[in-house]
Amino acid sequence: MKTVKNIIFYLCLPLLISGFGQADAAIPPDRLISADLKALFADPPSVKGYPYQELFKKAAQRYGLPLPYLLAVARGESFFDPNAVSSKGAIGLMQVMPATAGDYGVKKEKLFDPAENIDTGAHLLSDLNTRLNDPYLALAAYYCGQGGVDIDNFTIREDCNEYVHYIHSHLEKILKKAGQHLPDSAVMEKHFVLTVFDNFLDAQSFVKFLSEKLPLMQFEIFRKEAALQDHNRYQYQIMAAISGKKTKNEVCAMVEKASGFSFCDGKGE
């Protein structure tokens, strides 16, 4: 049985060769993602079945943003956890920094209130989109501030660009369900972590690989802070859904049989 390290090396090698030393490079937005975001703003689809749906809907209408755009940010930032707190101090569903909330007259403790958190995050995104006049640049600035965006040359820092790719992957999940007959209330599936990548594009390639092997299974990518010895950084967790009556071990066995890679340690439900 091959180990996860083998496939990480296999997927990472081309990027390591081509991207070494380019972490702070200024690059233009991805044209396909940019087109997707502009189309979303021009004609947003109807979506439902998400946590705090009505609060997101009200905020989207109040600040002139597409509902899926807001949902994608919340899905990628916190997976709809109103109590999420990052090591840097970002809080709640939209992972709003207390200092940013203060600019909008919202106190830190109020950020644990889903209504206040969603409203503040949506207000910030709307202001960024108005200021930068581009939904792609607005997403980049939401993560890294306007210092990571060069509006004159229409370029962004590479780590900011990776964030936009990451949020776009969550947007794709939301848009895929648009128009389906989903319940108005949210039904959240249980997930568990298969493995972790340091680079989003590697994680995305691996999810594509798994999805081709197991098209009926659901895999997610969730960005998580990792505390290292001298600093914190983001890593990308590959998560598998536990649906129906299947246990974690049964899902692990299916993934290992189909992919040839061993992930699970035999623990879990």
Side-chain angles (χ1 to χ4, degrees), residues 178-207:
Q180 295 182 9
H181 297 291
L182 299 174
D184 290 328
S185 58
V187 178
M188 297 297 289
E189 291 184 309
K190 293 182 179 180
H191 292 80
F192 67 92
V193 179
L194 282 173
T195 188
V196 177
F197 286 83
D198 289 332
N199 180 282
F200 172 69
L201 295 181
D202 297 336
Q204 193 175 44
S205 295
F206 191 51
V207 165

Side-chain angles (χ1 to χ4, degrees), residues 37-234:
L37 293 174
K38 289 177 180 177
L40 178 67
F41 271 69
D43 186 22
S46 175
V47 296
K48 61 180 182 178
Y50 292 93
Y52 310 103
Q53 174 90 23
E54 287 305 311
L55 295 178
F56 280 108
K57 184 176 179 180
K58 288 178 182 177
Q61 292 172 342
R62 182 180 298 121
Y63 297 110
L65 298 172
L67 175 57
Y69 188 73
L70 276 187
L71 290 171
V73 173
R75 194 177 195 271
E77 286 282 4
S78 69
F79 237 112
F80 301 110
D81 180 3
N83 298 312
V85 180
S86 77
S87 62
K88 294 179 181 178
I91 295 171
L93 292 160
M94 301 290 287
Q95 287 291 276
V96 180
M97 293 295 292
T100 301
D103 293 339
Y104 291 98
V106 178
K107 294 182 179 179
K108 177 181 177 179
E109 57 270 19
K110 286 288 188 179
L111 290 176
F112 290 101
D113 177 353
E116 291 278 9
N117 192 284
I118 292 168
D119 186 86
T120 306
H123 199 165
L124 173 59
L125 269 172
S126 178
D127 284 351
L128 290 171
N129 188 53
T130 298
R131 202 170 298 143
L132 300 171
N133 196 32
D134 185 86
Y136 195 114
L137 297 186
L139 278 181
Y142 188 84
Y143 166 61
C144 61
Q146 292 188 71
V149 176
D150 184 344
I151 191 170
D152 293 327
N153 295 307
F154 207 69
T155 58
I156 57 180
R157 219 169 56 216
E158 190 165 349
D159 60 322
C160 311
N161 188 57
E162 182 173 88
Y163 175 80
V164 179
H165 277 258
Y166 169 66
I167 294 299
H168 182 257
S169 73
H170 285 272
L171 176 62
E172 286 182 313
K173 292 276 189 179
I174 290 168
L175 295 181
K176 189 175 181 179
K177 293 183 178 180
Q180 295 182 9
H181 297 291
L182 299 174
D184 290 328
S185 58
V187 178
M188 297 297 289
E189 291 184 309
K190 293 182 179 180
H191 292 80
F192 67 92
V193 179
L194 282 173
T195 188
V196 177
F197 286 83
D198 289 332
N199 180 282
F200 172 69
L201 295 181
D202 297 336
Q204 193 175 44
S205 295
F206 191 51
V207 165
K208 181 180 179 181
F209 167 78
L210 289 180
S211 297
E212 289 172 351
K213 293 289 185 179
L214 294 162
L216 298 181
M217 288 189 65
Q218 180 182 339
F219 299 99
E220 299 280 358
I221 302 174
F222 183 62
R223 195 178 74 156
K224 192 79 172 177
E225 281 184 310
L228 303 180
Q229 187 173 359
D230 57 348
H231 68 286
N232 290 343
R233 62 166 299 164
Y234 287 106

